[in-house]
């Protein structure tokens, strides 16, 4: 006998959740050139949504528009039910939008602990911050071992862990990850995806941008494919993973 919960398809359960991020007909330009040409998608509370697509598709540009670091040329982005227009990146971080950028962006000349403390710069609850640093260390034991090492001397994978840990230190509502597996060894890629899945299982809402389509769809509730500035496919993570068009275009089959 199965419980009621486990008989509800994942999609249906997620469908009832509150929409945290709603992107409608988003357009973003660099000078006169449109990089994002009318994109629609949404992220609901507790979901892990993967946005996949090849080089230059417009994934990072979309992330930057969501976090208030690039202006919208058209369309709308609602976060927590209100437009992000006119809000700067700072405002949005305060409202719980945390992004781990492509290339990680750790503070190279600071130690691991100092980087994590920087992640909590919007908070002033000392005890809570200390407790959260310990939680990050539980998630990433490697960081604990090296807590006083300068971030710039760590491996790419370790820096990715630190960048994720630092983003979690501001207790985000939504975690945005831009190509977390880029340039990492297969073993480190495994570890990073394990952690993303873990963080998601603990209830975090995650928008994951990845070129590693297979791994990103394996852990996703839903996925979107972006090509040349538009969304060309969308669906459940598993469903997309088995879609012959996705497999041909992004999984090398
Ligand atoms: N600062 C910029 N100035 C001009 N054009 C840009 C700038 N940044 C990105 N572009 C262009 O916008 C398009 C989308 O770029 P974007 O970085 O969003 O792609 P992406 O999907 O993140 O690619 P990748 O997987 O390689 O990171 C590309 O054609 C890119 O050349
Ligand atoms: Mg990118």
């Amino acid at each position: 006998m199965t419980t009621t919960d486990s008989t509800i398809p994942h999609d249906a359960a997620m469908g009832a959740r509150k929409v945290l991020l709603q992107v409608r007909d988003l357009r973003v330009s660099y000078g006169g050139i449109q990089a994002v040409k009318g994109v629609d998608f949404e992220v609901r509370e507790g979901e892990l949504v993967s946005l996949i697509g090849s080089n230059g598709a417009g994934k990072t540009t979309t992330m930057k528009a969501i976090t208030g670091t690039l202006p919208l040329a058209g369309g709308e982005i609602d976060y927590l039910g209100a437009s992000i227009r006119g809000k700067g990146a700072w405002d949005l971080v305060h409202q719980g939008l945390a992004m781990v950028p492509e290339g990680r962006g750790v503070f190279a000349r600071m130690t691991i602990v100092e980087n994590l403390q920087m992640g909590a710069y919007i908070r002033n609850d000392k005890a809570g911050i200390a407790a959260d640093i310990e939680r990050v260390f539980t998630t990433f034991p490697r960081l604990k071992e090296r807590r006083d090492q300068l971030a710039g001397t760590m491996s790419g994978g370790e820096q990715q862990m630190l960048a994720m840990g630092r983003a979690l230190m501001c207790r985000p509502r939504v975690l945005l990850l831009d190509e977390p597996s880029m340039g990492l060894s297969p073993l480190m890629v495994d570890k990073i995806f394990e952690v993303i899945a873990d963080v998601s299982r603990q209830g975090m809402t995650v928008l994951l941008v990845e070129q590693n389509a297979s791994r990103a769809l394996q852990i996703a509730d839903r996925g979107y494919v972006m090509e040349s500035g538009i969304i060309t496919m969308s669906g459940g993570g598993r469903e997309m993973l088995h879609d012959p068009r996705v497999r041909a275009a992004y999984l090398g089959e």
Side-chain angles (χ1 to χ4, degrees):
M1 191 74 182
T2 51
T3 64
T4 317
D5 258 357
S6 65
T7 60
I8 298 173
H10 204 48
D11 287 347
M14 283 295 180
R17 303 230 191 159
K18 180 174 168 186
V19 176
L20 296 189
L21 201 54
Q22 178 92 54
V23 176
R24 270 179 273 113
D25 196 28
L26 174 67
R27 291 153 201 274
V28 187
S29 300
Y30 296 104
I33 300 167
Q34 263 203 9
V36 174
K37 306 169 183 167
V39 156
D40 296 85
F41 67 93
E42 65 187 27
V43 180
R44 290 174 182 269
E45 190 151 45
E47 270 192 318
L48 195 168
V49 173
S50 290
L51 183 58
I52 62 170
S54 44
N55 287 118
K59 305 182 299 296
T60 298
T61 304
T62 301
M63 284 283 215
K64 286 184 173 168
I66 292 171
T67 53
T69 51
L70 277 176
L72 315 192
E76 195 54 271
I77 299 175
D78 287 341
Y79 173 55
L80 303 177
S83 171
I84 67 153
R85 279 179 187 272
K87 290 180 186 160
W90 174 262
D91 279 346
L92 293 166
V93 171
H94 274 257
Q95 288 181 41
L97 265 185
M99 165 140 142
V100 177
E102 219 173 346
R104 288 119 206 179
V106 299
F107 302 113
R109 289 163 173 276
M110 290 186 181
T111 66
I112 286 172
V113 170
E114 287 165 349
N115 266 274
L116 294 176
Q117 285 163 343
M118 288 297 286
Y121 69 96
I122 61 167
R123 301 166 54 184
N124 50 21
D125 55 323
K126 264 194 162 174
I129 292 171
D132 282 356
I133 288 182
E134 288 309 314
R135 277 184 59 187
V136 169
F137 284 158
T138 307
T139 309
F140 302 105
R142 181 79 66 95
L143 296 182
K144 184 168 188 169
E145 289 164 21
R146 291 158 185 258
R147 54 184 296 148
D148 297 316
Q149 187 173 329
L150 292 183
T153 63
M154 296 199 304
S155 74
E158 290 163 354
Q159 290 191 23
Q160 184 61 46
M161 292 178 188
L162 179 56
M164 285 174 57
R166 191 180 62 185
L168 291 171
M169 286 303 297
C170 69
R171 294 210 174 160
R173 265 317 267 274
V174 180
L175 185 62
L176 306 164
L177 304 171
D178 195 354
E179 308 260 12
S181 79
M182 189 166 51
L184 302 187
S185 68
L187 215 63
M188 201 48 91
V189 171
D190 285 349
K191 172 70 184 161
I192 291 294
F193 276 102
E194 245 172 58
V195 170
I196 298 168
D198 252 14
V199 166
S200 161
R201 251 180 257 120
Q202 288 165 29
M204 180 65 66
T205 306
V206 182
L207 177 59
L208 170 64
V209 159
E210 262 296 337
Q211 281 198 41
N212 190 333
S214 154
R215 303 303 296 270
L217 291 175
Q218 271 167 20
I219 62 170
D221 294 303
R222 292 186 303 107
Y224 294 90
V225 174
M226 195 165 185
E227 285 170 25
S228 308
I230 57 169
I231 301 280
T232 53
M233 274 182 262
S234 64
R238 291 268 146 200
E239 177 194 344
M240 289 183 73
L241 196 57
H242 297 114
D243 186 302
R245 292 166 302 170
V246 176
R247 299 195 76 83
Y250 297 99
L251 306 178
E253 289 178 13

